[in-house]
Amino acid sequence: MPNLRQNNMKKKILPYLLLTPMILIMGVLVFYPVIATFSYSLKKWKLTAPNDIHVVGLRNYATILKSDSFWYSFRNTLFILAVVVVLTTVLGFLVSVFLNIDVKWSGILLAVAILPWALPPYVNGILWKFVFSSGYGFMNKLCIGLGLVSRPVEWLSSRWSLLVVVSLVVTWRSIPFMALVCLAGRQSIPEGLYEAARIDGGNRRTIFRRITLPLMLPFLGIGITSTSVTAINVFDEIIALSGYSDLGKNLLVESYLTTFSFLDFGKGSAVTYLVMLFAGILGVFYLRNLNREVEY
Amino acid sequence: MKAGKRIGYVLALAVFLILTLGPFIWTFVLSVTPEYAMMEKNTKLLPDEATYENYKELLTAGSQKGSILITGIKNALKAVGATLVIGIPVSMMSAYALSRMEFKGRKIIRNLLLITMVIPVMATIIPLFRLFVDRQWLDDVFWLSMVYVSSYLPMVTWLMSNYFATIPKELEESAMIDGCGRMASFLRIILPASYPIILSAALIMFLNTWSQFQIPLILASSLETKPVAIVVSEFMTKDSVQYGLTAAAGMIAVIPPAVTALVFRRFLISGMMGGAVKG
């Protein structure tokens, strides 16, 4: 019966046919470039010296790991990562508690809550730059008006205060996702569990410690790992707040400047690979959390 | 609510609204503040009189700034169109195969796709830049949009396959017993049942494309391709004196996504939750 066999063949190749466009797009625009970037990172390759391109092995990595500029950016990345993750987790959880209160305008509040997530991160950075601008921006008007300082503060001109502002803006954009994940976690806990605990005489603190927290942990895991990946990959907000300067640069800005300002493709690629290693370790935890959620 | 609780709630509401909406309100105030009032050294928060000159200048196609901004908006919308036309069918096909068919290599393909979610843009952009220079794609919204699509596919495919997995298999099986082929059953059973997730995916892709900055910074330098966020960034660096105009441009750039998010909040929220959390 040739017809049936033909049908069977069709059945077998159909999934691959359906996946072909995706595989082509991901292959050409993601997997090939990722591998190519690695091969670039092993080369001496400056656009300013186009005739002098050759393989140097791991020398780019060695130079980078010895440079102050790299470690400056590394420390900035760590600072942003730590501040953003801690603030986003705490504030995102609080916002989820707030949003979980049932009021008439809950829907609208939820919509307002996701606004910072929905808008262009670069433009978010600009909005906040106006708040913290050096002359008579909002923050300075407020601080002077309240008598906290007598002259305008240069918020964005010193390393640590700039990094604090960057972290706040990134936190502002990351809270919505964290809050929604926490909300989903909170709503997945059956009300019956709480009733049973109350009948057993549990007070609010033990209920929180014994029921709410452990059952929400997997959700918090997703929120925290995804926030970490975001925090390592911050780019738009830094450029919006401080331009292409060295002051607040993190590893991604370092990689961008090395590649496209100093036109050193070899070293730029190597910096990128180091960032990817860093983000990849966190990424593995993220994917593990996602997959665990699926089986449940 | 008890009185104490009610006061606490009102306070929390006020803090939440100020911190979330404050930057928009302040930027709006700046955008309608006359240039001379901006330079005054006082602590007044509101200007004595409002001017809408900045918006007028930006929204007339005749002015130089206005035409650049309008072109940027058009470019962003073109990219949105292209990403949706390519991204939605491609992700649906992949999600359908990955969630409802058994075949060799399914797990590997799924995991490889998911792994790309954590690859930073910078790790692919240098070879892509070379590719774009070689092929002369730097002035082409289509290829730029393809790069966007490649960065959304993992997330959107994941979202859709989670959703497809919740549609009962029996529905499809009974359709196939009635003589429907795989394709017909997809079109008659799966497609109609999944319009909410398609809408969620489309919204997420729209918002992300509108927000693009890092990729077009490198791959879209010409007037024909650069999107609105890049145009705003150029206002910021070239005319840092004209705060009012930049503020107005920023407001114009956030209005389309803000309105979309408010109107379609239900789909957007279920999409955001579905991407990370199943069910």
Side-chain angles (χ1 to χ4, degrees):
Chain A
M1 289 198 286
N3 204 2
L4 201 67
R5 244 177 73 196
Q6 221 178 356
N7 232 335
N8 232 335
M9 268 297 282
K10 242 167 93 183
K11 238 186 196 162
K12 262 196 176 150
I13 55 169
L14 186 61
Y16 301 105
L17 275 180
L18 288 174
L19 288 168
T20 306
M22 185 270 281
I23 291 172
L24 275 178
I25 293 176
M26 299 311 282
V28 175
L29 297 176
V30 179
F31 285 101
Y32 155 73
V34 165
I35 295 163
T37 303
F38 182 65
S39 88
Y40 294 0
S41 77
L42 302 177
K43 286 178 186 157
K44 180 186 169 173
W45 184 356
K46 287 189 186 177
L47 274 201
T48 45
N51 296 320
D52 184 26
I53 301 172
H54 57 91
V55 176
V56 292
L58 296 175
R59 204 182 297 159
N60 283 326
Y61 290 93
T63 327
I64 290 162
L65 290 174
K66 272 185 273 178
S67 80
D68 292 337
S69 179
F70 175 83
W71 292 109
Y72 180 91
S73 313
F74 182 74
R75 278 191 289 272
N76 287 353
T77 303
L78 279 187
F79 180 86
I80 295 171
L81 176 67
V83 176
V84 168
V85 168
V86 171
L87 285 183
T88 303
T89 309
V90 174
L91 295 175
F93 183 79
L94 287 179
V95 169
S96 81
V97 172
F98 169 72
L99 291 175
N100 201 32
I101 299 170
D102 204 16
V103 286
K104 250 182 294 171
W105 50 85
S106 288
I108 297 289
L109 280 187
L110 212 53
V112 171
I114 59 168
L115 272 185
W117 170 86
L119 303 180
Y122 180 85
V123 180
N124 284 346
I126 295 290
L127 300 187
W128 282 96
K129 187 175 183 161
F130 287 132
V131 173
F132 283 100
S133 58
S134 60
Y136 280 73
F138 181 82
M139 233 6 166
N140 280 333
K141 283 191 193 240
L142 196 70
C143 289
I144 295 171
L146 292 174
L148 297 175
V149 291
S150 53
R151 266 179 306 147
V153 180
E154 301 267 330
W155 301 99
L156 304 175
S157 312
S158 78
R159 181 184 178 188
W160 299 109
S161 72
L162 170 64
L163 286 176
V164 167
V165 175
V166 168
S167 309
L168 288 179
V169 182
V170 178
T171 301
W172 187 70
R173 153 161 77 95
S174 313
I175 286 175
F177 184 74
M178 180 65 87
L180 281 190
V181 172
C182 288
L183 205 57
R186 179 64 186 74
Q187 287 169 356
S188 76
I189 303 173
E191 238 1 86
L193 270 183
Y194 285 104
E195 268 161 41
R198 255 176 249 130
I199 290 166
D200 289 349
N203 61 20
R204 286 179 64 173
R205 188 182 289 170
T206 38
I207 288 179
F208 179 79
R209 250 208 357 248
R210 292 287 179 76
I211 298 178
T212 311
L213 202 59
L215 288 178
M216 279 185 64
L217 266 186
F219 293 89
L220 278 174
I222 289 173
I224 290 173
T225 41
S226 124
T227 306
S228 313
V229 177
T230 307
I232 291 175
N233 290 324
V234 175
F235 183 85
D236 302 14
E237 282 98 342
I238 297 179
I239 303 298
L241 288 163
S242 69
Y244 299 93
S245 74
D246 279 343
L247 191 63
K249 68 178 177 183
N250 64 353
L251 288 173
L252 270 196
V253 176
E254 167 93 7
S255 158
Y256 176 80
L257 292 177
T258 313
T259 314
F260 293 99
S261 294
F262 301 110
L263 299 173
D264 192 333
F265 278 30
K267 240 198 230 165
S269 302
V271 176
T272 309
Y273 251 74
L274 292 172
V275 183
M276 204 163 72
L277 210 69
F278 196 21
I281 296 169
L282 288 164
V284 170
F285 285 107
Y286 176 59
L287 294 181
R288 207 185 276 166
N289 276 320
L290 271 184
N291 272 320
R292 187 191 306 156
E293 201 50 43
V294 170
E295 278 149 26
Y296 140 109
Chain B
M1 276 190 262
K2 275 185 250 155
K5 264 191 172 171
R6 177 166 274 167
I7 292 170
Y9 181 79
V10 171
L11 271 178
L13 182 68
V15 171
F16 168 78
L17 287 177
I18 290 171
L19 288 181
T20 311
L21 298 177
F24 301 104
I25 297 166
W26 177 246
T27 306
F28 177 73
V29 169
L30 281 187
S31 72
V32 297
T33 303
E35 213 60 36
Y36 68 87
M38 201 111 45
M39 294 302 139
E40 281 169 12
K41 298 192 166 141
N42 59 38
T43 54
K44 267 193 299 189
L45 291 177
L46 294 172
D48 294 329
E49 48 168 346
T51 163
Y52 295 93
E53 278 310 306
N54 292 321
Y55 289 97
K56 266 187 218 152
E57 186 177 344
L58 288 174
L59 293 175
T60 28
S63 76
Q64 190 219 355
K65 289 253 166 59
S67 73
I68 298 177
L69 186 71
I70 291 169
T71 314
I73 290 174
K74 278 189 196 150
N75 288 341
L77 288 177
K78 268 189 230 164
V80 169
T83 35
L84 291 183
V85 167
I86 302 160
I88 294 289
V90 172
S91 55
M92 283 188 78
M93 279 154 59
S94 315
Y96 183 72
L98 290 174
S99 67
R100 299 187 79 93
M101 291 172 150
E102 284 299 330
F103 56 95
K104 248 192 197 151
R106 194 176 76 116
K107 242 191 165 151
I108 294 178
I109 294 176
R110 204 188 72 138
N111 285 341
L112 276 178
L113 183 67
L114 278 180
I115 271 180
T116 62
M117 251 198 251
V118 296
I119 294 177
V121 170
M122 279 306 288
T124 56
I125 206 87
I126 303 172
L128 286 179
F129 176 69
R130 279 198 64 212
L131 186 72
F132 271 55
V133 172
D134 282 350
R135 297 286 159 99
Q136 297 181 314
W137 288 346
L138 285 173
D139 296 325
D140 197 331
V141 174
F142 176 79
W143 289 105
L144 182 67
S145 308
M146 288 295 272
V147 176
Y148 297 163
V149 168
S150 76
S151 72
Y152 309 151
L153 274 182
M155 162 74 185
V156 176
T157 306
W158 174 251
L159 200 64
M160 287 187 175
S161 48
N162 276 350
Y163 191 88
F164 289 167
T166 63
I167 302 173
K169 270 210 163 84
E170 292 76 21
L171 272 181
E172 246 190 312
E173 277 161 11
S174 67
M176 278 191 257
I177 289 168
D178 288 348
C180 280
R182 205 80 224 204
M183 273 300 153
S185 89
F186 174 79
L187 292 176
R188 286 210 204 142
I189 308 287
I190 303 287
L191 205 56
S194 40
Y195 86 93
I197 202 67
I198 299 173
L199 191 51
S200 300
L203 287 167
I204 288 174
M205 286 164 76
F206 163 69
L207 293 175
N208 274 307
T209 305
W210 188 269
S211 298
Q212 287 292 344
F213 180 76
Q214 207 183 340
I215 297 172
L217 181 67
I218 296 159
L219 298 183
S221 42
S222 76
L223 190 62
E224 286 78 39
T225 46
K226 63 179 152 201
V228 60
I230 299 282
V231 172
V232 174
S233 83
E234 287 175 355
F235 282 8
M236 200 65 197
T237 46
K238 281 184 193 150
D239 304 283
S240 44
V241 203
Q242 283 181 289
Y243 275 146
L245 203 68
T246 313
M251 288 307 289
I252 293 173
V254 298
I255 286 170
V259 170
T260 310
L262 291 176
V263 172
F264 294 102
R265 56 180 182 265
R266 200 161 63 84
F267 296 97
L268 204 53
I269 288 163
S270 67
M272 281 171 82
M273 282 178 166
V277 183
K278 220 196 133 202

